[in-house]
Amino acid sequence: MSEHTYSIPVGPLHPAIHEPITLKIDVEGEEIVGVDVFCSQVHRGIEWLGMNRNNPIQNIYLAERVCGICNVCHPFCMVQAVEDASGIYPPERADYIRAIMAELERIHSHLLWAGVAAHEIGFDTVFHYTWALREKVMDLIEYLTGNRVTKAIMMVGGVRRDISEEGKKKIKEGMQYYLEKFAKIEDIYLNDPTIKMRTRDIGVLTREDALRLCAVGPLARASGVPKDVRQDFPYGAYADYGVKAITPDTYNGEIHADVFDRIIVRLLEVKQSVDIIKWAVDNLPSGPILAEKNLVKLKMLLKKAEGEGIGRVEAPRGEDIHYVRLEKGKDPYLSWKIRAPTYNNVLPWIPMLLGGQIADVPIVAASTDPCMSCLNRVTVVDEKGRKYEITKEYMHELSVKKTRRLMRNANRSF
Amino acid sequence: MLTGAFEVIWYIAASFLISLFAIPFGLLTKGIDRKLAAHMQWRVGPPVWQPFWDVKKLFQKETIVPEDAISWLYNAAPILCLASTVTILLYIPLGPFPPILEGHGDVILILYLLTIPSLAMVAGGFASSSPFASVGAQREMVLMMSYEFPLAATVIALVWKISSLYPQEAAFSLTAFARHPIWNIMGPFGIVGAIVLLIVLLLVTTGEITKVPFDIAEAETEIAEGVFVEYSGRNLGLFYLADAVKTVVMSALIVAIFFPYNLSPLLTPNISIPSWGWAIVDFLFFLLKLEIVIFFCMTFIRVSVARFRVDQVVKVYWGYLTLASLLALILIALDVML
């Protein structure tokens, strides 16, 4: 570290990064010469709850809370793992409905990301415009599932809500709306000179780095790695459709592996999702939507089941993996491991940021679409040099202390 | 003829009057800007008097000085910034009213005074001992150095034309611009040159009042408001007021240089009202002109582009705008010679 270098802390709370993570950036003037990432500031102990407190059905709703945006992917992934372990497989119609839900989520997530990216480079008009367009898919999701955000649609061995004939019509109308608006969105993001100025050749992640650091999702695809779970290990209805991973060269024949390419990939994926949804609605097979309708019976079946299973889902941010191990006679999972896509996509920040400018930090960080609370595993507190982990016992002790204090104060006031 | 003591008292009173006009009007302008921008961005936006509430809230809040800050400089910077901004307004004609300090200074002085608010922000930023504020202060300096040349080139080109036609005038004074509106004295080449200069000056204004795409010194998403990151309460409120007044100053300067027209000479033959009535009409017309200028140099630009990076800002100012102003200078030179 030379004497001209000084360090800027981006985070744990910073307007550019909407969730707690710390980036320690060493700069010389405006140029970035060193980057270090410190994770684990929002650990919530979700896996612990799944392994100690909840039964598998409660865990579906807990898995939705892993991420506010990917709240279909995580339960989707988890029920796949449980189905794999217990052998309760969903009927075909449920597979299609799951795919429709996952693709609706991809549309809303990618539009949300595009808006945030525009905000990061100071283009608020585009941000508001994109989010206004996103309202249509949110309304559609609310109509189909009853909720705008946490959709509560997944169930072990199927889905909880069916899509009626009227629902099909509404989905088709919604998809038509996006096909019409797509030209406009494409024009804004891919032809605006200021967006191009801020994103072209910024945050380059070479193909070699992407492979070496195991980048996933749109980040890897923008670097020219055609990696997509829906293509490589198709699950559910995707096997019938034949998804093809989108790389930026399908748009203009060249790969720069920069932020602009990530915009291209995400926008094209919105279009791809629209196509998949239209296809799935047209080919929706008839039949039941649940393998086992009786929840009590399902719970007993899961309690009797033993074995391990893995679920893989292509979330909007990349590959999501859940590993579940069931034990006979025990309600909670014996073991539950979530590997969210941001876990892989944080390390590529370092090669992408090095050599860039401070002004690039927000857009480069945002270009991976990070989701911190999915990523955290453990919280290590560093209190004046004394490092310790916060354990369940410690938290319990703290809450007992607080309750006693409240009781004491309450007594005093009476 | 005012005697010495009266003159001083008059200047003090006038400064108060000017602040009483400029601060509320600047805040109202901010409100209008926010409302218009909101409608252009497909949203409703806050009520136009929101900036007044913001200032009221800021003045009620606690003012925190960081432990490592140089507190006297940290506290002096916002006062200096607001005071110097209001001072500039004493040299600029406000519609029908000539500048209060007429004859004491000219456009060159205004150009120098314009750097003081920025310097105060830089000083405040460095004094607050935050890495974000330091980056912001560095960027503010880069920005200041970048727009200075096109700004000076614009003023000099126009003054040259005026002085070549009217050698007896004090060409650098703003009243000379008012007496000889530039559109009336220019030939065809000069008109093109003046239009280019107007665009240059509008873009310089966007940088001067630090709005997107030139708001690199604040850049909320990059360096968390930059120079203002540590400021809170009254100090932040003073900076907010200074920003509002600066908007009025820059637009009043553009109006004084490019659009010094009044309504009264046009309408006097048809309508008869007392002369104080005409003063009011002209002043309202002046305020309208200010709002229109602000719409183009602030609202319209900031909703239609993304923020530039530091190197891109320098490229725009030192490259494109300097070239454009030099080109305009050549056009006006042709106009003078032909």
Side-chain angles (χ1 to χ4, degrees):
Chain A
M1 205 168 166
S2 79
E3 60 181 297
H4 303 294
T5 314
Y6 61 99
S7 108
I8 292 184
V10 177
L13 296 168
H14 187 276
I17 296 163
H18 303 263
E19 283 175 275
I21 190 164
T22 309
L23 270 172
K24 202 170 128 281
I25 294 178
D26 297 325
V27 290
E28 264 176 39
E30 282 273 328
E31 204 199 327
I32 298 169
V33 293
V35 185
D36 206 352
V37 186
F38 299 88
C39 304
S40 286
Q41 277 140 349
V42 275
H43 178 56
R44 293 170 300 165
I46 282 188
E47 288 166 343
W48 186 90
L49 289 179
M51 288 186 280
N52 291 282
R53 193 190 72 182
N54 288 359
N55 66 43
I57 305 218
Q58 288 171 328
N59 274 343
I60 299 171
Y61 306 103
L62 182 64
E64 267 177 7
R65 269 81 183 166
V66 170
C67 176
I69 301 170
C70 311
N71 51 49
V72 164
C73 316
H74 280 290
F76 192 173
C77 202
M78 200 205 77
V79 295
Q80 276 190 10
V82 176
E83 284 158 7
D84 189 13
S86 62
I88 306 168
Y89 291 107
E92 213 181 356
R93 189 177 173 88
D95 269 342
Y96 275 66
I97 294 176
R98 283 178 180 184
I100 291 173
M101 290 303 158
E103 294 310 314
L104 282 176
E105 176 177 273
R106 196 179 316 278
I107 294 176
H108 110 72
S109 174
H110 280 353
L111 288 179
L112 179 132
W113 173 84
V116 170
H119 175 66
E120 301 286 15
I121 55 172
F123 208 157
D124 280 354
T125 311
V126 174
F127 161 55
H128 291 297
Y129 186 79
T130 318
W131 278 34
L133 287 183
R134 176 175 165 264
E135 280 306 300
K136 185 85 181 173
V137 74
M138 298 308 281
D139 289 347
L140 203 53
I141 287 169
E142 186 181 5
Y143 173 79
L144 292 171
T145 67
N147 299 303
R148 261 168 73 87
V149 182
T150 40
K151 298 164 190 87
I153 187 90
M154 293 296 162
M155 180 51 65
V156 176
V159 289
R160 289 183 59 226
R161 281 171 191 254
D162 202 358
I163 294 179
S164 62
E165 282 305 314
E166 202 198 331
K168 279 187 186 174
K169 219 175 94 212
K170 285 220 171 185
I171 295 176
K172 277 193 168 171
E173 276 168 20
M175 292 309 110
Q176 197 54 39
Y177 172 85
Y178 278 108
L179 278 186
E180 282 160 17
K181 296 286 176 190
F182 186 77
K184 175 107 185 170
I185 304 176
E186 194 183 2
D187 183 48
I188 293 174
Y189 280 94
L190 304 184
N191 295 331
D192 185 274
T194 48
I195 290 185
K196 211 163 187 168
M197 265 170 85
R198 287 300 307 272
T199 53
R200 196 34 122 190
D201 296 323
I202 301 296
V204 174
L205 180 73
T206 56
R207 191 189 152 90
E208 291 70 45
D209 276 344
L211 288 170
R212 207 154 46 91
L213 296 169
C214 302
V216 291
L219 179 67
R221 291 196 280 276
S223 295
V225 183
K227 187 168 160 184
D228 190 322
V229 186
R230 294 174 297 169
Q231 168 195 279
D232 305 335
F233 299 92
Y235 49 91
Y238 294 113
D240 300 347
Y241 180 77
V243 182
K244 204 170 169 325
I246 286 176
T247 44
D249 51 340
T250 54
Y251 177 71
N252 52 12
E254 44 192 85
I255 293 175
H256 292 258
D258 54 6
V259 178
F260 193 73
D261 275 358
R262 284 162 218 150
I263 299 179
I264 294 177
V265 166
R266 288 204 171 86
L267 289 187
L268 293 183
E269 281 185 20
V270 170
K271 203 169 184 180
Q272 187 186 37
S273 294
V274 170
D275 290 341
I276 295 175
I277 292 171
K278 282 171 83 171
W279 166 84
V281 170
D282 283 339
N283 296 297
L284 195 63
S286 53
I289 54 165
L290 274 173
E292 177 51 69
K293 271 194 194 126
N294 188 338
L295 275 184
V296 182
K297 203 172 163 200
L298 179 66
K299 195 165 157 267
M300 293 317 292
L301 280 174
L302 287 172
K303 200 167 180 176
K304 278 180 207 151
E306 179 147 334
E308 58 181 354
I310 290 180
R312 298 176 72 176
V313 161
E314 182 70 19
R317 291 160 173 72
E319 183 184 8
D320 186 16
I321 300 176
H322 281 232
Y323 168 81
V324 169
R325 196 182 179 97
L326 300 175
E327 195 189 18
K328 206 174 226 172
K330 189 168 168 271
D331 252 344
Y333 300 146
L334 182 66
S335 170
W336 182 22
K337 165 80 185 148
I338 307 170
R339 210 287 334 263
T342 308
Y343 195 65
N344 294 36
N345 285 348
V346 160
L347 275 184
W349 283 7
I350 295 170
M352 286 197 287
L353 285 173
L354 277 179
Q357 291 188 7
I358 301 172
D360 301 331
V361 174
I363 182 66
V364 169
S367 75
T368 65
D369 204 354
C371 186
M372 301 314 158
S373 46
C374 315
L375 137 88
N376 282 291
R377 290 292 164 271
V378 64
T379 298
V380 179
V381 183
D382 187 349
E383 189 188 316
K384 289 175 183 153
R386 194 169 65 94
K387 285 195 180 178
Y388 57 92
E389 277 178 29
I390 291 185
T391 56
K392 186 218 160 200
E393 286 72 32
Y394 179 68
M395 290 295 279
H396 184 244
E397 199 187 309
L398 280 186
S399 42
V400 167
K401 265 188 198 164
K402 181 160 184 186
T403 313
R404 294 232 171 92
R405 196 168 67 236
L406 287 176
M407 281 165 73
R408 261 204 314 277
N409 292 347
N411 289 339
R412 199 175 298 150
S413 64
F414 283 124
Chain B
M1 185 68 197
L2 294 166
T3 55
F6 273 118
E7 207 178 329
V8 171
I9 291 168
W10 159 238
Y11 289 154
I12 292 171
S15 307
F16 268 111
L17 283 175
I18 282 276
S19 319
L20 275 184
F21 151 70
I23 291 174
F25 182 68
L27 290 178
L28 183 69
T29 304
K30 263 180 179 288
I32 293 173
D33 162 65
R34 282 169 72 171
K35 193 80 187 168
L36 286 175
H39 279 283
M40 288 158 93
Q41 291 178 339
W42 223 354
R43 43 191 186 98
V44 180
V48 282
W49 49 85
Q50 183 67 39
F52 292 91
W53 292 347
D54 290 351
V55 170
K56 185 183 164 218
K57 184 201 76 181
L58 283 175
F59 276 82
Q60 287 171 342
K61 292 268 179 186
E62 187 187 5
T63 303
I64 296 166
V65 181
E67 252 174 49
D68 300 332
I70 308 164
S71 61
W72 66 269
L73 188 55
Y74 178 83
N75 287 322
I79 299 170
L80 187 63
C81 188
L82 180 60
S84 58
T85 318
V86 173
T87 311
I88 308 172
L89 219 47
L90 300 177
Y91 292 96
I92 298 177
L94 299 175
F97 310 114
I100 291 156
L101 291 177
E102 196 183 2
H104 290 272
D106 51 22
V107 191
I108 300 293
L109 180 70
I110 293 175
L111 292 190
Y112 276 104
L113 281 175
L114 274 175
T115 60
I116 295 182
S118 306
L119 286 176
M121 272 159 67
V122 170
F126 279 129
S128 51
S129 82
S130 152
F132 290 114
S134 298
V135 174
Q138 286 166 11
R139 288 178 170 196
E140 177 72 35
M141 281 196 294
V142 170
L143 183 66
M144 203 168 72
M145 284 185 274
S146 311
Y147 62 62
E148 212 66 355
F149 187 82
L151 183 60
T154 308
V155 171
I156 284 165
L158 297 175
V159 167
W160 187 14
K161 177 72 190 176
I162 292 176
S163 65
S164 69
L165 284 181
Y166 307 98
Q168 74 286 0
E169 286 267 16
F172 274 107
S173 79
L174 275 171
T175 36
F177 285 100
R179 262 196 294 280
H180 315 289
I182 53 160
W183 306 106
N184 303 4
I185 57 172
M186 289 290 185
F189 283 116
I191 296 278
V192 177
I195 291 172
V196 173
L197 288 181
L198 175 63
I199 293 167
V200 169
L201 197 56
L202 284 174
L203 288 174
V204 166
T205 305
T206 316
E208 182 82 53
I209 55 184
T210 51
K211 289 287 170 311
V212 174
F214 305 117
D215 68 334
I216 50 169
E218 291 167 27
E220 182 218 336
T221 50
E222 292 161 18
I223 50 171
E225 296 295 337
V227 283
F228 302 136
V229 69
E230 295 291 343
Y231 277 101
S232 56
R234 189 180 55 88
N235 282 340
L236 187 60
L238 286 176
F239 269 130
Y240 193 86
L241 293 181
D243 184 42
V245 178
K246 209 170 178 185
T247 315
V248 179
V249 167
M250 283 310 290
S251 51
L253 188 64
I254 294 181
V255 167
I257 293 179
F258 284 97
F259 310 107
Y261 302 99
N262 283 328
L263 268 186
S264 50
L266 274 177
L267 297 178
T268 321
N270 307 326
I271 311 161
S272 66
I273 48 170
S275 59
W276 58 265
W278 281 121
I280 291 175
V281 170
D282 281 342
F283 191 65
L284 289 177
F285 183 57
F286 168 71
L287 297 186
L288 181 70
K289 284 189 287 186
L290 288 189
E291 290 299 344
I292 292 171
V293 166
I294 289 166
F295 175 77
F296 280 107
C297 71
M298 184 161 143
T299 318
F300 185 66
I301 293 180
R302 85 182 172 96
V303 299
S304 41
V305 288
R307 183 186 304 116
F308 294 159
R309 291 191 305 168
V310 186
D311 54 332
Q312 288 162 344
V313 166
V314 175
K315 201 168 133 197
V316 166
Y317 278 127
W318 271 109
Y320 304 133
L321 288 190
T322 306
L323 265 182
S325 58
L326 286 179
L327 193 75
L329 198 65
I330 293 168
L331 283 171
I332 288 175
L334 277 175
D335 195 61
V336 170
M337 280 185 273
L338 292 175

